[in-house]
Structures are given as structure tokens and as C-alpha cells.
Amino acid sequence: MLEERSAGAIIYRQSPQGKMYLLLNYPSGHWDFVKGNIEKGEALRETVLREAREETGITDITFVDGFEDKVEYHYQRDGQVIHKEVAFFLATTNTDKITLSFEHQDYTWLGFDEALAKLTYKTAQNVFKKVKDL
Ligand code: ATP
């Protein structure tokens, strides 16, 4: 089976309304956190910094210590089943202006409950719920 590895982050910023979480709308239609494929020789957090910059224009990322989790799923591409693992970190930023790349169609900043409801996949929701417990 083909294996794919990505890394991403639950990115939030403090606003007068509280913490706002960043979600992206992926080309296949789902809403998820910033993430992307790990390039050769890259440490997981390096992938996150690069993907955040490429996908959203955010360059001021601070990782929140003590949070690391993983999502696992299978999907099909060109008739091949792919097993994918995505490592997720928690990170904060002061940037609110997002510059999307060609890779995504939309983004949104939402409070916790709205973001939880917007996430398409249960696996991502389960990781996100652990953030609230922190
Ligand atoms: P990356 O951001 O890692 O480069 P990508 O945009 O290439 O990823 P994914 O977001 O992994 O691709 O989506 C690939 C396929 O897997 C899509 O069909 C998507 O609907 C599905 N998928 C994405 N996340 C999950 C999940 N948590 N559980 C199940 N299926 C998922």
C-alpha cells in the first residue's frame, strides 16, 4: 500500500471575541487545518512552518508546547489505496490576513464550537477536541 505523510497545525489567534481557529477549504471540498506533505529531510515542525507560509502567508508561527497528535486515514487516488498519517501541532499567530495559494479555495477563522462543526472529518474533530481539554 502507498504511504503518505503530512504534518499540519491547528493555528489560532487571539481576538477580542476569544481564540479564533483557522480552517482551509481543500480542493476536494473538505474543511481541515493547515497541513501538507513532509518533504525529504524535513522535520515535522519545519513542514508546518513551510506549509503555513505557502498556504496562508502566515510567517509568525509559535508552537504551543505539549501538544502533538496524529490523524490516520485511507483514500484512493488513481485506483490506488493510500494510507496517510498526518501529525498535528498546536500553534498561535498574530496574523489575521490570509493570502491563499492556488491549493485552496477558501479559508475561515472561527471560534472553537463553530470550527468543530465546520471540520469535515471526525478524525480531525477528535484531535481538535483535545485542544479544548488543554
Ligand atoms: P496535503 O494537505 O497533506 O498535501 P491533500 O490536499 O493532498 O493533502 P488530503 O487533504 O489528505 O489531500 O485529501 C486527500 C483525500 O483524503 C481527499 O479525498 C479527502 O477527502 C480525504 N481526507 C482528507 N482528510 C481526511 C480524514 N481526516 N479522514 C478521511 N479522509 C480524509
Side-chain angles (χ1 to χ4, degrees):
M1 196 184 306
L2 288 177
E3 297 287 335
E4 211 174 286
R5 295 286 179 274
S6 280
I10 297 167
I11 298 174
Y12 68 89
R13 66 181 169 82
Q14 289 289 352
S15 83
Q17 291 78 38
K19 290 185 175 121
M20 302 297 278
Y21 296 87
L22 179 61
L23 299 184
L24 300 179
N25 192 198
Y26 282 74
S28 39
H30 59 290
W31 286 88
D32 204 350
F33 303 108
V34 170
K35 64 176 172 58
N37 278 97
I38 301 164
E39 291 184 355
K40 213 164 170 244
E42 221 172 27
L44 296 179
R45 288 173 189 233
E46 289 171 349
T47 303
V48 172
L49 294 176
R50 178 180 53 73
E51 291 290 343
R53 183 169 22 86
E54 291 176 1
E55 296 187 334
T56 68
I58 295 178
T59 54
D60 66 317
I61 288 281
T62 305
F63 289 99
V64 176
D65 283 338
F67 187 92
E68 186 175 347
D69 207 350
K70 191 174 77 173
V71 159
E72 244 185 300
Y73 50 93
H74 294 87
Y75 74 97
Q76 282 209 30
R77 194 175 58 209
D78 304 327
Q80 292 253 38
V81 179
I82 298 174
H83 171 242
K84 183 159 180 174
E85 275 184 24
V86 187
F88 277 109
F89 296 91
L90 179 64
T92 181
T93 181
N94 291 314
T95 306
D96 59 354
K97 186 182 172 299
I98 299 299
T99 308
L100 284 181
S101 71
F102 66 93
E103 289 175 70
H104 299 98
Q105 19 198 36
D106 203 3
Y107 73 91
T108 184
W109 288 105
L110 295 172
F112 185 88
D113 292 344
E114 292 78 13
L116 183 64
K118 189 93 177 167
L119 283 167
T120 301
Y121 291 105
K122 267 249 128 45
T123 45
Q125 288 179 338
N126 289 340
V127 170
F128 193 40
K129 282 179 194 161
K130 295 180 190 170
V131 168
K132 199 171 189 184
D133 297 339
L134 273 189

